[in-house]
Amino acid sequence: MKETRQKLGPNDVCWCGSGKKYKKCHLSADAHGASTPEAETAPKRDPLLLNEPERNGMRKAGATNAELMDYLRDFIVPGITTKRIDELVADWTHARGHVCATLNYRGSYPAHCCTSPNHVVCHGIPGSYVLKEGDIVNVDLTTIVDGWHGDQSETFLVGQVSEETLRLVQCTFDAMWLAIDAIKPYSKVIEIGQAIKRHASRLELSVVEDYQGHGIGRKFHQRPHIPHFPDRYHGQQILEPGMCFTIEPMINQGTKRTVLDRKDGWTVYTADGKLSAQFEHTILMTEKGPEVLTQPKRGPARGHKFTNQAVTA
Ligand code: MF3
Ligand code: CO
Ligand code: CO
């Protein structure tokens, strides 16, 4: 049976049991509708565990972000500047009434997406760089739809690339999917890093440790931390149904070490100038297993094999 609360005067003892005067305790909260006896005693819901309507919010944001990736795909050819890619992202997003999460992120990121060519590991700022035959470029998109974030990235081959480059891109893509396929409800986060590290080591490539995947939802970056190597500390976190997070391994040809551009404060390079590749998906852990929210219809799917397109005369 629901109890109706008696109207308390400011000097009465507060209803919550604190023993304080009402005016020193819950008066102001009650006036703003912020607190009820029911809410005070109800078990607090873990905000990281999404219910069905919230999951649908993330599904829509992920699908929208993936659609944008598909839109960009045909433009990523030799001769385009990374700035032009950014303009396409901005126009497509704004035409649909959505928001690019990176613009002004932490009060300073200056663009609508990240474009990271060749030896740029991540967070490359779109600019005057002209993509050329043989390059690779990671395009990382984050769209906010109705307050929910979709986040994904893909490494594109620009024209024909070398065999060594293909091997790096394939390894990174496979490592991401091995990690997705390694987890189920109540898995530990460390299983992600173990799958990625095992695969990269087999191919004598290195896994970046300085940047990680992350929880995602109404916020761009939140708990849990998702390291792409077997991290004993963050690795103990349990992946419960309802959690949303990214898996976004960065894999390098040479050293795993990175350096941050001191001038722009964002661009991350490999310490030795060798190539780096990355793929990212937003994942919802459901009661049945991981659901990939950002799979593009025309993009590489699980098991994809990267090849050089035959050159037509
Ligand atoms: N999209 C990146 C990620 O996967 C974050 C970019 S933040 C920016 O988490 F400010 F560099 F754009
Ligand atoms: Co991310
Ligand atoms: Co991203």
Side-chain angles (χ1 to χ4, degrees):
M1 192 173 63
K2 215 161 158 231
E3 216 174 57
T4 39
R5 188 155 12 131
Q6 287 172 355
K7 185 112 177 71
L8 291 178
N11 290 315
D12 289 338
V13 175
C14 188
W15 52 262
C16 77
S18 67
K20 292 194 220 162
K21 286 187 176 171
Y22 187 42
K23 67 180 177 191
K24 294 261 175 205
C25 196
H26 276 86
L27 187 147
S28 134
D30 287 353
H32 293 93
S35 172
T36 62
E38 292 81 7
E40 287 285 318
T41 51
K44 296 266 184 292
R45 193 162 76 88
D46 183 341
L48 296 189
L49 304 182
L50 305 185
N51 62 26
E52 203 52 29
E54 293 168 333
R55 294 180 189 195
N56 285 335
M58 283 302 291
R59 287 184 175 109
K60 188 172 167 196
T64 304
N65 205 59
E67 213 185 298
L68 172 55
M69 193 65 89
D70 271 339
Y71 167 72
L72 294 177
R73 190 168 302 290
D74 298 335
F75 293 97
I76 301 173
V77 292
I80 193 174
T81 61
T82 51
K83 179 77 193 159
R84 182 72 195 122
I85 296 172
D86 196 66
E87 288 165 3
L88 292 167
V89 170
D91 292 348
W92 191 96
T93 305
H94 299 152
R96 285 158 184 77
H98 304 316
V99 174
C100 300
T102 59
L103 187 66
N104 272 316
Y105 185 65
R106 298 210 173 160
S108 78
Y109 188 78
H112 303 83
C113 64
C114 299
T115 52
S116 304
N118 302 325
H119 65 299
V120 179
V121 175
C122 61
H123 305 167
I125 300 173
S128 58
Y129 183 75
V130 181
L131 293 177
K132 62 176 193 304
E133 182 87 22
D135 280 353
I136 53 173
V137 63
N138 178 272
V139 178
D140 193 336
L141 307 173
T142 314
T143 311
I144 310 177
V145 179
D146 303 331
W148 298 99
H149 290 72
D151 185 13
Q152 78 196 99
S153 82
E154 212 174 295
T155 296
F156 291 89
L157 311 177
V158 183
Q160 304 278 111
V161 306
S162 74
E163 285 303 316
E164 276 305 283
T165 304
L166 269 184
R167 200 173 90 94
L168 172 71
V169 171
Q170 187 71 56
C171 173
T172 312
F173 183 78
D174 291 343
M176 175 184 66
W177 276 103
L178 284 165
I180 295 170
D181 290 339
I183 53 174
K184 50 185 194 296
Y186 306 104
S187 288
K188 283 186 176 182
V189 159
I190 200 164
E191 295 172 50
I192 293 172
Q194 284 168 338
I196 292 167
K197 178 73 192 239
R198 194 183 309 126
H199 190 63
S201 301
R202 221 182 265 148
L203 290 159
E204 295 180 298
L205 297 165
S206 57
V207 178
V208 171
E209 299 184 358
D210 298 343
Y211 300 87
Q212 312 190 339
H214 50 91
I216 184 165
R218 289 196 177 278
K219 282 174 49 183
F220 191 169
H221 294 111
Q222 62 186 20
R223 286 185 303 124
H225 291 265
I226 310 286
H228 303 113
F229 63 100
D231 180 65
R232 295 233 304 261
Y233 182 68
H234 293 302
Q236 301 315 309
Q237 169 75 45
I238 303 288
L239 295 170
E240 293 183 53
M243 279 187 182
C244 232
F245 53 90
T246 71
I247 298 181
E248 48 180 304
M250 285 140 276
I251 296 188
N252 296 352
Q253 277 184 332
T255 179
K256 68 182 178 188
R257 286 185 307 110
T258 68
V259 285
L260 178 65
D261 189 306
R262 286 204 242 157
K263 281 180 274 156
D264 71 25
W266 283 103
T267 311
V268 177
Y269 303 98
T270 54
D272 58 8
K274 294 190 180 174
L275 295 184
S276 181
Q278 181 180 24
F279 286 89
E280 172 177 30
H281 272 311
T282 297
I283 312 286
L284 168 68
M285 182 55 80
T286 74
E287 288 70 11
K288 292 186 187 149
E291 180 178 331
V292 177
L293 303 185
T294 43
Q295 176 60 49
K297 292 200 171 67
R298 296 173 53 228
R302 177 198 277 104
H304 179 83
K305 294 288 173 245
F306 290 83
T307 54
N308 278 314
Q309 298 304 310
V311 195
T312 46

